Amino acid sequence: MINKEQSLEAPAARPSGKNAQWTRSTLARALFSLALVLALGVVFPAEGAFFRLGTHQGAWRQASVVGILACGLLPVILAGGIDLSVGSVLGLSAVVAAKLSIHEGAPAWLSVFCVLAIGATCGAASGAVVAFARVQPFVATLAMMVFARGLAKTASGGTKVATAVPGPDGALHYVDVPPLFRALDAQVFGGDVAAVTLVFLAIAVVVGFFCARHRIGRYWYAVGGNEEAARLSGVPVRATKILAYVISGLCAAAAGICQAAQEQQGDPEAGVTYELTAIAMVVIGGTSLKGGRGGMGLTLLGILTIGYLDKILSINAVPEASRLMLTGAIVIVAAVAQKNS
C-alpha cells in the first residue's frame, strides 16, 4: 500500500485529467501571449530595429537580471507565498558586491560567497517569519523589502559605489573594473551571447530541476496545493517554505552581482520595481498565484513575453512610466485569467 508521503517522493507523473487540461490551456495562453507580443514587434518595428539581431540579443540581455529574480520567485509562488523583497535584496547585493570587489579588492570567490550569504540570510529571515510566526508573506517580505533597501543605503552612504575611490587625502582616484565584473559583463560565443544570459540560463536549469525532478520540488507543489494535507502527509511544511525563500534570496543576490557588473557600480537604488516585473513574468507564464501549479517552462515563456514587450516598447520610445503602468495591468489581467481558468 502506498501512503501519501511515499506518493510525494515518487517520480513525477505526467499530468492527467483536469491537471493535464489545465497544463494544456495554460501553455496555450502563455504561447499566445508571447506570439501576441512578437506580433506587436512586427507591426511596430521601430524603423526595422525589431528585425535586427542586436535587438533580440539586447532583449535577452536586459531580461536576464530580472529573469534570475523570476526563477527565484517560482519556488516561493509554487509553495503558496510571495516575495516582494527581491528588488531590494538585489540592490543590497549590488552595493556589497561593488564595495568588496572595487573598494576592498577582495577576490571574486570571496565577493560572490559573501553576497550569496547575505541573500540567503535575507531569504531565510523572510521564510522564518512566514513559517514560524505565521505572518502573511505579503507583510513579511514587505518588511524585508524596506529593511534591505535601508541597509543598502546605509552600506553605500546613500551614494553609488563606483570605481572612483577616495584616497587618504580625500581626493578621488579611479581604480580598474574588477575581473569579476568584466567577466559577467562580457559577450561570449563570438559576441553573440551575453555572459549574464548564460548565468540566467544556468540558474533556470538548476531551479527547474529542483521543481520538476527533486523531492523538495514536489514538497513545494504539495504545500502550495493544500498545506494542511501536505502536513498530514509528512511534508516538513516550515522547512519547505523557508527553503523556497532562501532560494529566492540566493537568486536575488546573484541578480545583484550581475546588475553591479553590468553597471560597473553598486547602486543602492538598483532593483526598484523589479519585484513587480519578476512577479509579472512568473504569472504571465501561467504559474498560479494560489500555489501548487506552474513550472519553469511556463516561467521561461513569461520571461520572454515580458522581456520582449519591454524591448519593443523601448525601441518605440515609449516612456518608462507607461511601461510600468502596462506591467501592472498585465499582472491584473493574468491574475483574472487564472481565477477564471
Side-chain angles (χ1 to χ4, degrees):
M1 180 177 179
I2 300 175
N3 59 34
K4 292 179 179 179
E5 183 177 2
Q6 287 172 323
S7 68
L8 285 171
E9 297 179 357
R14 296 184 63 182
S16 58
K18 290 184 178 179
N19 286 336
Q21 184 180 2
W22 180 87
T23 300
R24 285 195 296 269
S25 62
T26 303
L27 178 62
R29 282 200 301 271
L31 288 172
F32 176 76
S33 299
L34 178 58
L36 193 63
V37 167
L38 293 176
L40 192 65
V42 173
V43 174
F44 300 100
E47 300 180 352
F50 181 74
F51 302 110
R52 299 188 188 111
L53 179 60
T55 300
H56 297 271
Q57 292 171 336
W60 273 83
R61 185 176 185 272
Q62 291 177 12
S64 293
V65 169
V66 188
I68 294 172
L69 295 182
C71 291
L73 275 170
L74 177 61
V76 174
I77 294 177
L78 285 178
I82 197 74
D83 191 350
L84 300 178
S85 68
V86 291
S88 295
V89 175
L90 181 152
L92 172 62
S93 301
V95 167
V96 175
K99 285 191 76 69
L100 290 175
S101 299
I102 299 175
H103 287 198
E104 303 299 331
W109 69 267
L110 181 59
S111 299
V112 171
F113 176 80
C114 291
V115 174
L116 291 180
I118 290 172
T121 302
C122 291
S126 296
V129 172
V130 172
F132 287 99
R134 294 186 176 277
V135 174
Q136 286 294 322
F138 174 84
V139 177
T141 57
L142 184 64
M144 179 56 71
M145 179 179 76
V146 177
F147 177 82
R149 185 65 66 189
L151 190 57
K153 293 183 179 180
T154 301
S156 65
T159 61
K160 296 179 180 178
V161 181
T163 53
V165 181
D169 57 352
L172 294 177
H173 64 279
Y174 290 87
V175 298
D176 293 334
V177 175
L180 173 64
F181 286 10
R182 288 201 302 270
L184 289 174
D185 195 36
Q187 299 284 331
V188 296
F189 299 129
D192 293 330
V193 180
V196 68
T197 301
L198 296 182
V199 175
F200 154 62
L201 292 176
I203 290 174
V205 169
V206 173
V207 177
F209 169 79
F210 277 100
C211 290
R213 296 295 179 184
H214 198 273
R215 180 192 307 175
I216 189 62
R218 287 188 282 279
Y219 285 176
W220 289 329
Y221 282 96
V223 171
N226 189 323
E227 182 175 330
E228 184 61 18
R231 187 184 66 80
L232 294 175
S233 299
V235 174
V237 174
R238 288 174 174 170
T240 299
K241 287 184 175 181
I242 292 174
L243 182 57
Y245 283 95
V246 168
I247 290 177
S248 180
L250 283 171
C251 289
I257 297 172
C258 294
Q259 179 82 9
Q262 288 183 325
E263 296 183 348
Q264 298 187 352
Q265 63 182 8
D267 185 356
E269 298 293 343
V272 174
T273 74
Y274 278 20
E275 60 277 353
L276 175 62
T277 306
I279 292 171
M281 287 174 167
V282 179
V283 173
I284 198 71
T287 297
S288 174
L289 281 172
K290 298 177 183 176
R293 294 188 298 184
M296 182 54 71
L298 295 173
T299 300
L300 289 176
L301 286 175
I303 292 170
L304 282 176
T305 302
I306 298 296
Y308 267 111
L309 178 62
D310 187 67
K311 189 65 177 178
I312 291 167
L313 295 176
S314 176
I315 62 177
N316 282 280
V318 176
E320 184 179 359
S322 300
R323 281 184 264 165
L324 288 174
M325 289 189 288
L326 185 59
T327 303
I330 288 173
V331 174
I332 294 297
V333 171
V336 172
Q338 286 183 3
K339 185 178 180 181
N340 295 330
S341 63

